[in-house]
């Protein structure tokens, strides 16, 4: 595990952590993970279990604190609009410094719409995984500006959601994805709630889903 700092386009300093596979086991796809809502306490540490699991499976994993979270400078926005630039900056750093063949972008909860808006801004990003994308309840007031970006992207997408998610019902998810472009996969976790899936009990399952999705893209 290594730490570094990446500068966003507007000068915000982002704290970045790189998780490496064991020597000789490294695959040529890197995974960049975007943490949940900063304003509700989201930080990159919440993704450590997943990042470590992905690295154990042979893929370099990168987590980072969005602006205003953890060790990063800057101020968090309510809608995640400026944070899209943070994701782009980190993905470009990964592309230029780690030089993977491809990048998979993973967004967790409010990190999902933010990551989704960055997918088509970085050529090396070849796919997207959403964990608990907030499509329903009050979430559209904050994040609706991000919906079109990922739904119109032609890049392959996997949406993971618990059937008891309090922010988005299964019906709402299916309705949103009905007209999405490109390949769209869904995986429903029976009985799981929104915040429940943030816990370490689901890390191993998320790692399996992420790795299997990568393999489906590279076959």
């Amino acid at each position: 595990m290594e730490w570094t700092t990446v500068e966003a386009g507007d000068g915000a300093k982002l704290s970045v952590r790189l998780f490496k596979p064991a020597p000789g086991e490294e695959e040529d796809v890197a995974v960049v993970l975007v943490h949940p809502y900063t304003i509700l306490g989201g930080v990159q540490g919440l993704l450590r279990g997943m990042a470590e699991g992905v690295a154990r499976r042979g893929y370099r994993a990168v987590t980072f604190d969005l602006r205003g979270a953890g060790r990063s400078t800057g101020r968090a926005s309510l809608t995640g609009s400026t944070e899209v630039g943070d994701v782009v900056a980190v993905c470009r750093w990964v592309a230029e410094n780690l030089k993977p063949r491809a990048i998979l972008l993973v967004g967790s909860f409010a990190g999902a719409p933010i990551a989704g808006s960055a997918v088509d801004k970085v050529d090396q990003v070849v796919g997207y995984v959403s964990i608990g994308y907030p499509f329903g309840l009050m979430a559209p007031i904050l994040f609706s500006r991000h919906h079109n970006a990922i739904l119109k992207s032609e890049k392959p997408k996997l949406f993971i959601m618990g059937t008891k998610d309090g922010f988005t019902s299964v019906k709402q998810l299916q309705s949103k994805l009905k007209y999405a472009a490109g390949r769209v996969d869904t995986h429903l976790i029976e009985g799981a709630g929104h915040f429940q899936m943030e816990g370490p009990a689901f890390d191993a399952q998320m790692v399996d889903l992420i790795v299997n999705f990568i393999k489906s893209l590279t076959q």
Side-chain angles (χ1 to χ4, degrees):
M1 188 173 68
E2 298 176 1
W3 289 91
T4 191
T5 300
V6 171
E7 186 170 330
D10 63 356
K13 304 290 194 302
L14 309 175
S15 176
V16 178
R17 192 184 302 183
L18 169 62
F19 298 80
K20 291 182 173 182
E25 297 182 4
E26 191 172 286
E27 301 285 350
D28 59 356
V29 177
V31 180
V32 175
L33 300 104
V34 184
H35 68 70
Y37 202 29
T38 299
I39 290 170
L40 292 181
V43 291
Q44 64 175 312
L46 294 170
L47 302 174
R48 179 171 180 168
M50 272 190 277
E52 289 176 336
V54 167
R56 282 194 295 269
R57 301 285 285 274
Y59 299 92
R60 287 169 291 178
V62 175
T63 64
F64 65 101
D65 289 317
L66 291 163
R67 63 187 56 229
R71 302 181 183 185
S72 293
T73 66
R75 179 177 294 182
S77 70
L78 276 173
T79 62
S81 53
T82 51
E83 283 83 346
V84 175
D86 298 347
V87 179
V88 171
V90 171
C91 286
R92 287 179 176 162
W93 177 87
V94 168
E96 292 167 9
N97 292 275
L98 303 186
K99 302 188 186 305
R101 180 177 56 79
I103 297 171
L104 179 75
L105 198 47
V106 179
S108 178
F109 304 97
I114 294 168
S117 283
V119 164
D120 284 341
K121 295 181 182 294
V122 181
D123 291 341
Q124 291 86 349
V125 171
V126 298
Y128 165 84
V129 175
S130 157
I131 301 171
Y133 197 116
F135 278 122
L137 280 184
M138 301 297 287
I141 295 174
L142 296 174
F143 304 120
S144 61
R145 68 186 62 200
H146 298 288
H147 293 179
N148 279 344
I150 191 57
L151 295 176
K152 290 182 178 180
S153 173
E154 294 286 346
K155 293 181 180 179
K157 300 170 275 292
L158 168 63
F159 288 82
I160 305 167
M161 197 185 74
T163 59
K164 299 295 185 184
D165 190 300
F167 287 87
T168 306
S169 69
V170 173
K171 186 176 180 181
Q172 284 172 322
L173 178 69
Q174 292 171 338
S175 176
K176 280 288 186 182
L177 299 185
K178 188 183 300 182
Y179 302 107
R183 171 184 164 188
V184 183
D185 296 351
T186 58
H187 184 90
L188 301 177
I189 300 178
E190 190 62 38
H194 186 85
F195 295 108
Q196 194 180 359
M197 290 202 309
E198 284 186 14
F202 286 88
D203 283 348
Q205 189 171 359
M206 298 302 163
V207 169
D208 281 342
L209 289 167
I210 290 167
V211 169
N212 288 337
F213 188 65
I214 293 173
K215 289 179 178 177
S216 77
L217 299 178
T218 57
Q219 287 173 349

